[in-house]
Amino acid sequence: MERYSYLCEQSDERGFPTVNTHRVIVNRGSKLRARISYLLPLALVLAPTYSLLFSAFPVALGFQWLVLICGLFLLVLQRNGVEEEAVVVMPTFGVQLETTYFSGKVHRQFVPLKHILAAVINEAVTPTSCYYYLALLVRDDSKLILAFKEVRPPLHMLVPIWRALREAIGNK
Amino acid sequence: MSTSLPLSSSSLSQNASRQQHRVLMVSDFFYPNFGGVENHIYYLSQCLLRRGHKVVVMTHAYGGRCGVRYMTNGLKVYYVPRLPFLMQNTLPTLYGTFPIIRNILIREGITVVHGHQAFSTLCHEALLHARTMGYKVVFTDHSLYGFADLGSIHMNKVLQFTLADVHETICVSHTSKENTVLRSGLPPQKVFVIPNAVDTAMFKPNPSARPSDEVVIVVISRLVYRKGADLLVEVIPEICRLFSNVRFLVGGDGPKRVRLEEMREKHSLQERVEMLGAVPHTQVQSVLVRGHIFLNSSLTEAFCIAILEAASCGLLTVSTRVGGVPEA
């Protein structure tokens, strides 16, 4: 199980209302390990390709093909690791949901405050597990917008974020 | 309790009664299904909740009903998305349900696991996994089963396996206890008999609803082979022929309903026999009070709650002498 740590930051810019950022960070050891495990399938694909194309190493051909296919398999199955997810609450403005990946990519989604009806914590039951999730009820859309798409923080982390969201929505 | 030390004994009893149990009821059969087992689990849970314990129910998903629902008094029900495959039972994958059962047991802080109905595969798996993890386990058997046919033989083997390790076993009648003890190989001293109960507040008599000039016989049951629908088909025309002031009120639905309709047409008993179709549980009392006699023709019954409900509504009961009916 991955360990999550929760961080709440406040921006103190004068003249603007306080923007609270609630971050849930995935503890994945060192960043170097994450980067290496991300590049491993690529290496597994490139090395045999090079040696097969240019007949560089006269090692067992079958083994090289095997390594190549395994590398391709891992490359296809690989998913971008999530470094952290954040919920940025901007009072009177809206809510921004951010996902930062290990590759450095950041995915952001902004939900204007006018569209949000409520924030709910609900329980989801799958055939193998049961967990809590925080979602936003949006006007004109039957689907809920999940606050944390990839990450599943425990209930005691979700509750302060839910309270902050309720305050922001309640003071429309 | 000695009267010389009233303080300590009362505090002891207070401690004993204040110990809160967190019970997990597991069965394949629960609301929105209606039946003896389902009602038993629901009423038992409500009584436990009233005493201050915490109750959680786990069952399989019914159609689109999946996830966590809350019923009266905060009864939490987990509808686990494992679809039924045979007669409302989930597919028996021996370790397939282990992750979700463990998850529920830990997150709710359960202390006692109570499984219902020997025919429920989810119940067996839950009891097995709960015992593996060291929880206290109770099992209640609600029906009588045979010994000779293929399904029964296999189920009895599974039952022996499950009940070898259970802490307490409950049966709903002495006949049921005999049956369970023979099937599972338990020592009879270990099995408790706690008969089912009926909610007398709901099933009240109402003499003004009955007609005074004719005798009305009420039959409410699922119209299946097991409940003796074929017997009804034979008996109703005979009674109507012998007694001219008798009317029948038949409630319930099932595969044998066609046979009853045919019998009605054949003997032209349209005015004498009234078919009500499926009666929702909330309206059962209003149907029962319209009659004088309740007829139960089931071929096998561990303990017939229908008879109790009818008796509670002030009807005379006539039943086939099978299973636990004499004790009811």
Side-chain angles (χ1 to χ4, degrees), chain A residues 66-87:
Chain A
L66 188 67
V67 172
L68 175 64
I69 291 172
C70 284
L72 283 171
F73 198 57
L74 284 175
L75 204 64
V76 163
L77 284 185
Q78 196 180 54
R79 297 160 97 232
N80 222 340
V82 178
E83 193 185 324
E84 69 159 41
E85 286 219 32
V87 173

Side-chain angles (χ1 to χ4, degrees), chain B residues 1-21:
Chain B
M1 306 230 182
S2 64
T3 48
S4 55
L5 300 162
L7 277 169
S8 58
S9 65
S10 66
S11 66
L12 265 176
S13 68
Q14 262 187 335
N15 281 342
S17 61
R18 233 186 249 146
Q19 180 196 18
Q20 193 209 31
H21 290 293

Side-chain angles (χ1 to χ4, degrees), chain A residues 47-63:
Chain A
T49 324
Y50 173 75
S51 103
L52 282 169
L53 279 177
F54 304 115
S55 315
F57 308 112
V59 196
L61 223 61
F63 177 68

Side-chain angles (χ1 to χ4, degrees), chain A residues 122-132, chain B residues 67-68 70 76 78 81-82 99-100 103 107:
Chain A
N122 202 2
E123 289 180 81
V125 182
T126 63
T128 46
S129 67
C130 185
Y131 58 92
Y132 289 99
Chain B
V68 174
Y70 288 89
K76 187 169 182 181
Y78 279 88
R82 287 184 169 268
I100 183 70
N103 216 314
R107 86 204 299 262

Side-chain angles (χ1 to χ4, degrees), chain B residues 71-324:
Chain B
M71 293 181 81
T72 334
N73 286 335
L75 176 64
K76 187 169 182 181
V77 187
Y78 279 88
Y79 288 99
V80 177
R82 287 184 169 268
L83 289 176
F85 86 114
L86 176 70
M87 289 168 64
Q88 293 292 324
N89 283 327
T90 42
L91 188 69
T93 59
L94 194 54
Y95 294 104
T97 43
F98 183 57
I100 183 70
I101 289 175
R102 178 179 174 271
N103 216 314
I104 293 176
L105 285 172
I106 292 175
R107 86 204 299 262
E108 302 289 340
I110 302 290
T111 52
V112 181
V113 178
H114 191 165
H116 291 265
Q117 189 65 311
F119 200 61
S120 160
T121 47
L122 193 62
C123 160
H124 285 296
E125 290 192 19
L127 296 187
L128 173 72
H129 298 313
R131 273 310 288 145
T132 315
M133 292 192 276
Y135 287 92
K136 291 214 185 304
V137 160
V138 180
F139 174 73
T140 299
D141 202 354
H142 292 263
S143 303
L144 301 174
Y145 289 103
F147 297 84
D149 55 301
L150 187 68
S152 297
I153 293 175
H154 287 298
M155 204 196 30
N156 293 344
K157 291 243 183 289
V158 172
L159 193 69
Q160 281 175 5
F161 193 64
T162 309
L163 290 192
D165 209 6
V166 81
H167 282 105
E168 306 294 353
T169 315
I170 304 172
C171 288
V172 293
S173 64
H174 292 282
T175 322
S176 173
K177 171 176 171 174
E178 222 182 287
N179 189 279
T180 305
V181 160
L182 286 171
R183 278 162 45 223
S184 64
L186 278 174
Q189 306 90 285
K190 276 191 80 175
V191 180
F192 288 88
V193 174
I194 303 179
N196 282 333
V198 69
D199 189 4
T200 46
M202 190 168 144
F203 291 96
K204 279 202 171 71
N206 188 2
S208 57
R210 291 178 222 155
S212 46
D213 52 346
E214 48 183 10
V215 175
V216 179
I217 304 183
V218 180
V219 180
I220 298 187
S221 73
R222 284 180 295 137
L223 300 174
V224 293
Y225 168 71
R226 222 180 128 205
K227 297 285 177 181
D230 297 312
L231 282 176
L232 277 180
V233 170
E234 306 296 323
V235 157
I236 292 181
E238 270 300 306
I239 305 257
C240 288
R241 189 175 61 84
L242 287 172
F243 303 98
S244 57
N245 66 336
V246 165
R247 269 203 316 125
F248 277 88
L249 212 57
V250 179
D253 209 348
K256 297 283 178 181
R257 190 176 170 180
V258 185
R259 280 205 70 192
L260 280 168
E261 304 268 5
E262 276 173 10
M263 175 266 304
R264 217 169 142 223
E265 301 292 321
K266 188 166 146 199
H267 297 274
S268 3
L269 292 168
Q270 280 87 340
E271 307 94 46
R272 309 280 302 272
V273 176
E274 192 183 332
M275 306 280 293
L276 294 169
V279 181
H281 194 73
T282 40
Q283 292 171 12
V284 165
Q285 193 255 353
S286 53
V287 173
L288 282 175
V289 292
R290 284 166 62 185
H292 299 93
I293 302 175
F294 181 79
L295 177 60
N296 174 46
S297 56
S298 41
L299 301 178
T300 168
E301 197 78 71
F303 187 91
C304 196
I305 304 192
I307 295 182
L308 278 192
E309 289 174 357
S312 172
C313 286
L315 287 105
L316 294 167
T317 52
V318 174
S319 171
T320 46
R321 179 186 271 261
V322 285

